[in-house]
Amino acid sequence: MDYFSSDFTLGILGGGQLGKMMLYDTRKFDIKTIVLDPSDQAPCALACNKFYQGDLMDFDTVYEFGKKAHVLTFEIEHVNVQALEQLASEGVKVYPDPATLKRIQNKGAQKDFYRQHQIPTADYHKFDTLDSLRDAISQDRIDLPFIWKSTLFGYDGNGVKVVRKDADLNGLPDGECIAEDMIDFKNELAVIVARNPSGEIKTYPVVEMEFHPEANQVEYVICPARIDDAVAEKARALALDVSKKFNHVGLLAVEMFQTHDDEILVNEVAPRPHNSGHYSIEASYTSQFEQHIRAILDLPLGHTDSKVAGIMVNLVGEEGHSGDVHYENIEKIMGIDGVTPHIYGKKQTRPFRKMGHVTIVNEDVSKARKIAEEVKNTIRVISR
Amino acid sequence: MDYFSSDFTLGILGGGQLGKMMLYDTRKFDIKTIVLDPSDQAPCALACNKFYQGDLMDFDTVYEFGKKAHVLTFEIEHVNVQALEQLASEGVKVYPDPATLKRIQNKGAQKDFYRQHQIPTADYHKFDTLDSLRDAISQDRIDLPFIWKSTLFGYDGNGVKVVRKDADLNGLPDGECIAEDMIDFKNELAVIVARNPSGEIKTYPVVEMEFHPEANQVEYVICPARIDDAVAEKARALALDVSKKFNHVGLLAVEMFQTHDDEILVNEVAPRPHNSGHYSIEASYTSQFEQHIRAILDLPLGHTDSKVAGIMVNLVGEEGHSGDVHYENIEKIMGIDGVTPHIYGKKQTRPFRKMGHVTIVNEDVSKARKIAEEVKNTIRVISR
């Protein structure tokens, strides 16, 4: 198949920042793209060859869109899987595989998959309703505290809650859920794996999520992770194993816990470019977005090593600010060597809304870490 | 001025590959752009916020377009300068300065500028017509061989000819021209200088153009140049001096000769991102395109060092091939570590048409050089 400056068409479901960053590479390779997103303000509305506005969960909308593409991918998991399955059965190449997406979309099915395939993960119990979970607690079949997770459609902290006492369950949605053991981890790590239909497979270096000591929020994604080589090897090997067992095509971001005994447990996976790989645009020989395109088009995978160390800081809307966005002090951080802001193009800020990210690269990871802190303390996402 | 996700508008005259690569960075920063180009097939037609089709040499077209922008720049020198001057006088910020563009557009004026400002350059004589040049030769006022250059609108080898005997002048256009001494150079070098309106100024490392031993065409642009540090320092200092004397804002690509005595002579300059800086997308902390945007918006300039060595190979249409383009063996070169093809998006190939480029990055410049040769011998730009 001739992808370059040809009539070949890649369809992307979802038009957010992940899609936007994919489009940098489709533009670089002059690969024709179409994008479907519910909002006409989507960051991808620009730079794709044709933009379609429509509901990603609607069978007909996704099916009609998919029929226009030779290869179909997604930048968000919340899409109509039945339509993808139908398209795949009619010969449209859908990567990642709809069957994998289905499994990953449901956090219960995802955990069952790990258990069935001897992939180390935190222990869990599955419940059909919130009431059956309450019964299990009252009958001492499960212990407090635990992590409650809705099996469907949770992301960015939605659909996840730490339950320390019965009352913490109040107000949670009454659907299928899991109760997962809380892991007292030393580090939260992630590895991105890329695999193409021909079976070529590569892992990126291990990244480390550094948490704010009080707020318990990820503050910095750091590549390479500041961990022992042996632990890094173990994490990469586990991520590779997970990708192979899913028989995954495209990118698979594998989030993991490193326990105090240096055990590695899989937390969850995302079948697409991932926040933990944004550093790769500036730091890696091949960005995760280019790698995803290479993988789903069955092109050779690019080199996953880093040229330099990279740290990513998310830019989220500040509390108390809603309205037209203003990036205060962005000029200041741009004056620091190796600092690159990425502005996703959302015109309106809201508290905690992901508005962009900043990458800091340096030959020396500890220097990069110092600069990252300066960046974090300088730039503010506020309203005008 | 708030540039990011705001109503601020950057206007770009010219919608070719240089503009296209600038748009990667305006997208990254979410800076609103409008582009003017005569062709609706221009590579920039996508990814700008609004595309206008029109004649870049027409006063009214350029003027009307420019009135829609807060800052105006160009990616090609062949634009209507009178319109730029008018716009500047009415408060539109035009960078680079129209006066500098005017001087650079005319190769005679450019050479006069070097002479007036004691900038070392090859000696030359200026003539109003081809006949007056013929007279000078017959009266022995100038010696053969020399380089004939039309003072207007020459680029990519057009408007330049080596004259070894009288007959070589036959068929040349009868306009203003210069006869320039032929320099027997050891190396052709280039340095890109960036300067913002506040006066911050930075140079990129020296790059070297390696020529094909027989065809006398640039085959590889290599960064860093494989020259002595002292020569590199001299070249950077000279380029800095040229930019300052032009009082230039934006990027200035300074092409130079290194003579056998290690003298550095300025050949010519381009007031925009330049072929000799394409390597910077993958190799530098700040790509030349991002740097141009930073410079003209009076943002702090980015770090110009390289993360790794970079080599650029142009992809030009093969002789004997015209029509729908096909990049033969592109998959093969993509399988080599550190190799990134850039496809400009021109649907039709023609002999020697610039269709794209390939960047090869590696920690070791000599390894990169070997891979570059392999790339050059593998990929072919042909018609389907």
Side-chain angles (χ1 to χ4, degrees), chain A residues 185-360:
Chain A
F185 57 85
K186 184 156 65 173
N187 278 307
E188 197 170 324
L189 308 173
V191 170
I192 291 174
V193 188
R195 190 165 165 279
N196 67 20
S198 296
E200 190 186 3
I201 188 163
K202 286 188 179 180
T203 58
Y204 277 84
V206 184
V207 302
E208 163 198 356
M209 273 64 123
E210 186 181 325
F211 284 72
H212 186 281
E214 286 114 49
N216 199 34
Q217 268 192 330
V218 176
E219 280 207 292
Y220 309 107
V221 175
I222 303 175
C223 181
R226 297 160 300 178
I227 54 174
D228 289 348
D229 287 352
V231 175
E233 264 319 296
K234 201 165 156 182
R236 282 177 94 150
L238 178 57
L240 202 66
D241 187 45
V242 173
S243 167
K244 281 183 183 163
K245 283 176 174 160
F246 274 118
N247 204 23
H248 190 72
V249 168
L251 291 194
L252 190 73
V254 184
E255 296 184 47
M256 292 170 281
F257 298 121
Q258 175 191 3
T259 68
H260 290 279
D261 305 328
D262 287 343
E263 255 197 300
I264 307 286
L265 304 175
V266 171
N267 179 20
E268 58 182 52
V269 299
R272 51 166 172 77
H274 191 250
N275 197 260
S276 67
H278 288 354
Y279 80 90
S280 65
I281 297 178
E282 284 80 15
S284 306
Y285 281 92
T286 312
S287 91
Q288 66 165 343
F289 301 98
E290 177 176 336
Q291 195 75 295
H292 186 70
I293 304 292
R294 285 176 177 242
I296 61 176
L297 300 185
D298 209 12
L299 290 164
L301 299 180
H303 193 34
T304 56
D305 279 6
S306 295
K307 300 169 196 168
V308 283
I311 298 189
M312 196 272 305
V313 176
N314 282 314
L315 290 181
V316 297
E318 200 159 302
E319 268 190 285
H321 288 266
S322 291
D324 288 349
V325 66
H326 173 62
Y327 297 91
E328 191 180 77
N329 294 328
I330 189 168
E331 299 81 3
K332 284 191 186 155
I333 67 163
M334 288 177 79
I336 309 171
D337 283 353
V339 171
T340 306
H342 289 254
I343 305 299
Y344 296 156
K346 303 170 186 175
K347 306 300 174 210
Q348 303 286 313
T349 186
R350 290 192 301 266
F352 309 113
R353 189 176 192 196
K354 270 193 199 169
M355 301 297 288
H357 73 264
V358 182
T359 311
I360 298 95

Side-chain angles (χ1 to χ4, degrees), chain A residues 2 20 282 307 326, chain B residues 2 20 27 282 307 326:
Chain A
D2 207 336
K20 181 188 172 189
E282 284 80 15
K307 300 169 196 168
H326 173 62
Chain B
D2 206 336
K20 181 188 171 189
R27 292 285 297 131
E282 285 80 14
K307 300 169 197 168
H326 174 63

Side-chain angles (χ1 to χ4, degrees), chain A residues 85-132:
Chain A
E85 288 173 326
Q86 183 62 33
L87 288 160
S89 76
E90 292 177 20
V92 178
K93 287 179 181 161
V94 182
Y95 295 123
D97 192 302
T100 309
L101 175 58
K102 214 166 165 175
R103 200 169 271 141
I104 290 171
Q105 269 186 347
N106 185 297
K107 288 192 182 175
Q110 197 185 131
K111 291 291 281 188
D112 291 346
F113 183 84
Y114 300 145
R115 191 176 271 169
Q116 284 153 23
H117 290 83
Q118 287 83 48
I119 294 164
T121 191
D123 209 9
Y124 67 101
H125 292 82
K126 203 157 69 169
F127 300 94
D128 289 340
T129 63
L130 204 60
D131 276 345
S132 55

